[in-house]
Amino acid sequence: ARVRSGRVGTGADYRARPPAPGVLLSVLVTRILSAQTPDFSIPVLAASDSASKIQVPFEARGNSLALTLQAATGPLSFGMALAQVSPAIFVDPDCIPLILDEDSGILLDCSKPAHAKSRIQILSTGLVRVNPDWRAGVPAPANEPPRVVAPVRVLVNGSLLEMKQASLAPGYPGYYWIVGGLPVFVNVGSAEL
C-alpha cells in the first residue's frame, strides 16, 4: 500500500501484500511515532528516519485493516485488505533468505548449503494465531514459545519437510520459527523453498 510519505510492506521481505493478524510490517521512508486501528493500539517495535517496524495485533479481525500512523512527517491514514494468513520468509539486506542449519545455527547460502537429512530453521512472519494466545509487541519466551495453531507445510523442490516445530521465535516479537527436517534425498544445487 502506498502512503503519502512512505511505503508499507511485510517486515520480512518488504513486499506489498495484504497483512494478517500478528504479521510484522515495515513502513519505509519515514519514522513512525505511534500506530493504531479503530480497535487497537499497534506496537511500534523499531523506528528510524528511513524505516519503522510495527506489528498487527493478533486480535485483528475482518476483511480490512484501517491504520492511522503518527509519523515524524505528520499523520498518515490508509486502509489495507486483511488476509487470513500472509506468510513471508525474512531476508537479509542482500535478499538472502534467513534459513539456518538447526544444529550449528549457521546461515545457509551457496557457500554453506543444507544437506540431506539435516534440520533447518526458517525465520518468517504472518503465520497468524498461536497457542497460547500472545500479545503483539511482546517477545516470545525462550522456553515453550507459543505454537502456531494452523498446520504449516514446507516444501523443498516439491518434497514435504518433516515438521519439527512451528512457533513464535523465542526472544522476538512477531517472528515465527519453523523447524523442519530435509528429506533423505535432496538434489544438488539451488532448491525452491
Side-chain angles (χ1 to χ4, degrees):
R2 265 267 186 235
V3 188
R4 186 178 53 177
S5 61
R7 186 172 61 84
V8 177
T10 69
D13 60 8
Y14 308 107
R15 290 185 181 169
R17 62 169 63 98
V23 76
L24 287 178
L25 293 176
S26 289
V27 182
L28 304 174
V29 191
T30 189
R31 177 185 296 269
I32 299 301
L33 307 173
S34 66
Q36 64 185 45
T37 71
D39 301 318
F40 304 103
S41 289
I42 295 179
V44 177
L45 304 176
S48 73
D49 290 337
S50 60
S52 298
K53 286 221 189 292
I54 62 176
Q55 185 180 8
V56 175
F58 287 100
E59 302 84 2
R61 298 288 181 264
N63 296 325
S64 63
L65 184 67
L67 292 176
T68 302
L69 307 175
Q70 182 60 48
T73 56
L76 305 169
S77 296
F78 61 101
M80 304 174 81
L82 185 65
Q84 290 183 5
V85 65
S86 187
I89 296 173
F90 280 88
V91 296
D92 72 7
D94 295 322
C95 293
I96 295 172
L98 296 182
I99 301 172
L100 309 166
D101 179 81
E102 161 88 315
D103 294 327
S104 68
I106 292 174
L107 181 65
L108 299 173
D109 60 19
C110 293
S111 65
K112 297 172 215 88
H115 299 283
K117 298 194 291 184
S118 65
R119 293 190 319 186
I120 61 172
Q121 297 175 347
I122 305 165
L123 293 177
S124 64
T125 193
L127 300 179
V128 197
R129 290 191 49 233
V130 293
N131 184 19
D133 289 338
W134 202 251
R135 196 167 45 118
V138 176
N143 295 325
E144 299 187 32
R147 296 207 175 249
V148 175
V149 173
V152 175
R153 292 176 17 143
V154 178
L155 300 156
V156 173
N157 284 345
S159 296
L160 195 60
L161 265 65
E162 179 186 351
M163 292 304 302
K164 304 290 184 183
Q165 181 172 347
S167 67
L168 292 179
Y172 295 95
Y175 284 67
Y176 292 81
W177 187 31
I178 300 167
V179 179
L182 291 173
V184 174
F185 298 104
V186 177
N187 293 333
V188 174
S190 295
E192 182 180 46
L193 178 69

